[in-house]
Amino acid sequence: MQDQDAMKISVLASGSTGNATYIETPEHQVLVDAGLSGKKIETLMNSIGRTLKDVDSLFVTHEHTDHSKGVGVLARRYGMDIYANQGTWDAMADKIGKIKPEQKHFFKPNSVLSLGDLDIESFSVSHDARDPQFYELHHNGHSFAIVTDTGYVSERVEGVIRDAEAYLLECNHDTEMLRMGPYPWSLKQRIMGDTGHLSNEDGARAMMDVLGNHTKQIFLGHLSKENNIKELAHLTVENIMKQHDLAVEHDFHLLDTDPDEASELITL
């Protein structure tokens, strides 16, 4: 397949301090989430040879600040279209400031939106936000699924994202680090609960349930700064998958993400 017909992706930032992911097709340049300052996101974009001036659409997963901090600034500064469901628009309204009506688009959960050569499929997840939804993006036979804030991955979500070519899946915390750490018990319960976040082990199990013959790249995302370590998350996932005879680094690659540095722009 010609490179110019491919989908390109970069995880600009992923973690408890801010999240943003870049996806490019021949006709569109889009972001999923903008949980950092506009200046920081532009710096991350520049590091992969891109600019926010060319981004036409931003898809918001939910209202938590680490996913929505820069939404209003990007809308006003760059004039891009913003997509979110009704619940998320309502919940982030007071945080993001005024957005022109023509830039504000409502994207229902569990539906598909087509933008030229890019199809975006939304799906609801179990997280303690108003109406959280994540996305799988499709272009020319390629697919990229993003799931980084959920207490568990339901069979319904598994059915939507099964056998994608690339994933950004959550490995938020190491369970023992969380249990032994400084957080109050109520917060620990929230993180470990059904509307919290996936642990390294949970992320590995979810990935084993959905990856298929088309799967080539798996980004480990949304690592907690306080309750995880990049090397530990990678090793835990790799070991669990190898124990189940999955050919890690042969049939597919496990890729780390960072809260401050963009991943390499890869071509699917």
Side-chain angles (χ1 to χ4, degrees):
M1 182 175 293
Q2 295 294 319
D3 182 69
Q4 60 264 30
D5 292 332
M7 175 188 283
K8 298 181 180 182
I9 58 177
S10 170
V11 181
L12 299 176
S14 186
S16 52
T17 56
N19 299 271
T21 304
Y22 173 76
I23 302 96
E24 173 182 314
T25 66
E27 295 180 14
H28 289 282
Q29 296 184 29
V30 308
L31 293 176
V32 173
D33 285 334
L36 306 93
S37 69
K39 182 178 180 180
K40 177 62 175 178
I41 296 174
E42 177 66 356
T43 298
L44 293 167
M45 287 283 288
N46 294 162
S47 75
I48 61 168
R50 299 296 187 268
T51 174
L52 283 171
K53 294 176 184 177
D54 295 326
V55 172
D56 53 85
S57 303
L58 165 60
F59 297 86
V60 185
T61 61
H62 60 294
E63 73 275 10
H64 290 167
T65 304
D66 60 327
H67 294 262
S68 67
K69 179 179 180 179
V71 171
V73 171
L74 297 194
R76 290 184 289 275
R77 185 174 297 167
Y78 299 100
M80 62 185 68
D81 291 318
I82 313 297
Y83 294 84
N85 64 40
Q86 181 72 63
T88 298
W89 275 117
D90 292 344
M92 68 180 179
D94 293 338
K95 301 179 181 180
I96 64 174
K98 192 172 182 180
I99 293 178
K100 292 180 179 179
E102 59 267 27
Q103 292 176 253
K104 189 174 179 179
H105 303 276
F106 294 88
F107 189 177
K108 292 181 179 179
N110 310 308
S111 62
V112 177
L113 173 70
S114 293
L115 293 178
D117 66 349
L118 181 63
D119 294 328
I120 305 97
E121 186 171 9
S122 64
F123 52 90
S124 297
V125 297
S126 179
H127 192 52
D128 57 355
R130 182 75 62 86
D131 192 6
Q133 68 182 23
F134 279 82
Y135 305 100
E136 181 169 8
L137 300 99
H138 304 265
H139 164 71
N140 204 15
H142 301 285
S143 54
F144 175 40
I146 302 174
V147 191
T148 63
D149 292 63
T150 188
Y152 67 96
V153 179
S154 68
E155 290 185 4
R156 178 184 54 78
V157 171
E158 287 179 356
V160 173
I161 67 173
R162 184 165 283 117
D163 200 19
E165 188 170 349
Y167 290 95
L168 171 56
L169 278 174
E170 181 170 56
C171 290
N172 176 257
H173 59 278
D174 174 78
T175 303
E176 284 307 306
M177 284 185 68
L178 177 61
R179 288 183 181 277
M180 301 299 292
Y183 284 2
W185 179 241
S186 59
L187 180 55
K188 293 178 183 181
Q189 285 181 306
R190 177 226 155 199
I191 293 170
M192 292 186 289
D194 281 350
T195 58
H197 293 276
L198 297 178
S199 68
N200 295 336
E201 293 84 358
D202 292 334
R205 295 188 189 100
M207 284 184 272
M208 288 190 297
D209 288 338
V210 300
L211 64 84
N213 293 332
H214 291 102
T215 305
K216 298 293 182 272
Q217 316 285 350
I218 299 172
F219 292 93
L220 309 182
H222 212 288
L223 274 66
S224 167
K225 187 176 181 180
E226 292 80 13
N227 301 305
N228 214 345
I229 301 169
K230 189 183 297 185
E231 294 78 10
L232 177 60
H234 193 113
L235 185 62
T236 300
V237 173
E238 184 176 29
N239 286 343
I240 290 175
M241 299 180 95
K242 284 184 175 179
Q243 288 168 13
H244 289 79
D245 297 323
L246 293 172
V248 182
E249 303 308 329
H250 182 269
D251 292 339
F252 60 88
H253 300 285
L254 293 180
L255 304 170
D256 298 320
T257 61
D258 193 274
D260 299 307
E261 293 184 17
S263 71
E264 180 183 354
L265 185 66
I266 64 171
T267 300
L268 300 185

